[in-house]
Amino acid sequence: MPKEKSDTTDFIPYGRQSISNSDIDAVLSSLKSDMITQGPAISIFEDNFIKNVEADFGCAVCNASAGLHLAYKAVGVQRGDVVWTSPNTFVATANAALYEGATVDFVDTDPDTFCMSVSALKAKLEKAKKNGGLPKLVVPVHLAGQPCEMEEIYNLSKQYGFKIVEDASHAVGARYQNKPIGSCQYSDACVFSFHPVKIITTGEGGMVTTRDKNIAEYIKMGRTHGITKERALMNTDAPEPWFYEQHFLGYNFRMTDIQAALGNSQLKNLEANIQRREQIASRYQDAFSDLPLGLQNPLQNASSSWHLFIVMFDNSSLRRKAFDKLQENNIGTQVHYIPVHMQPYYVQQGFKEGDFPEAEDYYSRCLSLPMFHGLTDQEQDRVIQTIKKVF
Ligand SMILES: *Cc1c(COP(=O)(O)O)cnc(C)c1O
């Protein structure tokens, strides 16, 4: 349960990690163990994580950006391929394709879910089929923890022959059609982030889940230079006991045992964490029901993990007024996201303002309010009162 604070002027960030005493104990005992990287905690964390999200395989990595990069490689993305994602995401989702020399393009967002629009995807696929340039991979992003329409995207993948990697950086604990995000019911792989601002944390860290043994094997080797120490995977017949083989060009994208110990401990609190976020979300929804604020419209068959609570103002000057007013009152907010195609680096790649009007309109009016497990009712009331003063 959140602790009560008496100070009414403390800074409230838009997101913050919760570290319990048992989290600290878990890290301490990891530090005192023999192996502080690639030790036993990694596979324990992987096993518990996949139980939680109902996947067959889990690969812990040093962060979600590295996880996306390896997942794209594992599904076969290479130079000359085309990768599509949502413009409304963190740059990492798109960058991971550029590392491999692939071309990135975007599918505009849906004004209700703020996620990739399935009708825009359908239209873009039809056009690409005629003109060339069908994607090798599509990356839906579960924005704020709100699942995308995965079944429809999956059906399109069968029709047009593309792979699917979910960017689930926001979506640990989210559900779609009664299955956890991460089960990969409708995707080849799913990538989670454990950055402190996300739902559970390992400091820095990420996890790729999949149902495909080959993808899991590729990522587990790719995170450690493309090397295997598993006898069964080696080309050599009777390897010497010290032997290892490098099969392809990989990286050092490993998570440490210390981080995995923290992640495993954080995972135990996931359910309570999500429940608290649901409470906070419904308190915001009730408080704002009379205000001219737009909210993310959830899908019928899904539940959000509430990484973010996003409100939409009628126009950008009202949003700016709210941002400033909240800041004056020592309340931190953030804008998720500046559309990736509007970043100078992507403008250099040929994108321009106007390319994805829904995502741009969304960006001009959205604001993420404080939402985290440890937010107290009192703190939330301060946020609500301040928002009310904007109107
Ligand atoms: C945080 C985030 C990432 C990157 O995660 P890291 O673990 O920091 O590398 C990628 N995509 C989205 C949507 C994110 O929010």
Side-chain angles (χ1 to χ4, degrees), residues 63-65 89-90 92-93 141 167 169-170 193 198 205 337:
N63 54 58
S65 305
T89 186
F90 185 54
T93 323
V141 182
D167 185 339
S169 293
H170 301 180
S193 171
K198 308 288 163 70
Y337 287 94

Side-chain angles (χ1 to χ4, degrees), residues 35-202:
M35 286 196 273
I36 59 172
T37 192
Q38 299 301 103
I42 298 280
S43 54
I44 293 170
F45 182 37
E46 288 172 341
D47 289 348
N48 286 331
F49 194 87
I50 59 175
K51 256 182 231 146
N52 210 293
V53 302
E54 298 172 24
D56 292 338
F57 304 98
C59 316
V61 285
C62 56
N63 54 58
S65 305
L68 289 164
H69 183 187
L70 285 179
Y72 294 5
K73 279 174 79 80
V75 300
V77 169
Q78 49 189 335
R79 186 164 295 280
D81 285 335
V82 178
V83 175
W84 290 0
T85 187
S86 167
N88 188 15
T89 186
F90 185 54
V91 293
T93 323
N95 288 350
L98 299 184
Y99 298 145
E100 288 310 306
T103 307
V104 170
D105 201 353
F106 301 95
V107 179
D108 210 352
T109 51
D110 179 291
D112 285 329
T113 64
F114 313 157
C115 293
M116 180 184 285
S117 152
V118 170
S119 58
L121 175 61
K122 216 182 246 174
K124 200 174 171 92
L125 285 165
E126 276 166 21
K127 210 166 142 198
K129 190 170 182 182
K130 280 196 208 108
N131 306 341
L134 277 171
K136 171 82 174 227
L137 167 69
V138 172
V139 188
V141 182
H142 305 306
L143 189 85
Q146 171 61 58
C148 299
E149 295 175 78
M150 290 308 300
E151 186 178 5
E152 294 176 39
I153 297 171
Y154 175 81
N155 290 339
L156 289 169
S157 80
K158 293 296 141 200
Q159 194 182 339
Y160 290 94
F162 56 82
K163 304 280 183 185
I164 301 173
V165 172
E166 297 166 73
D167 185 339
S169 293
H170 301 180
V172 186
R175 298 178 72 86
Y176 177 77
Q177 292 184 353
N178 275 323
K179 281 182 97 48
I181 291 294
S183 69
C184 300
Q185 189 181 10
Y186 296 118
S187 68
D188 297 282
C190 186
V191 183
F192 296 91
S193 171
F194 308 131
H195 181 279
V197 89
K198 308 288 163 70
I199 289 171
I200 64 170
T201 191
T202 59

Side-chain angles (χ1 to χ4, degrees), residues 205-242:
M207 181 80 74
V208 186
T209 63
T210 180
R211 297 179 161 198
D212 184 325
K213 188 162 179 278
N214 293 325
I215 290 178
E217 250 164 32
Y218 184 92
I219 293 173
K220 285 188 177 176
M221 286 172 73
R223 74 183 171 188
T224 186
H225 305 281
I227 284 173
T228 184
K229 290 179 184 166
E230 271 187 53
R231 312 273 112 176
L233 298 179
M234 288 187 187
N235 300 341
T236 317
D237 271 346
E240 306 282 8
W242 58 80

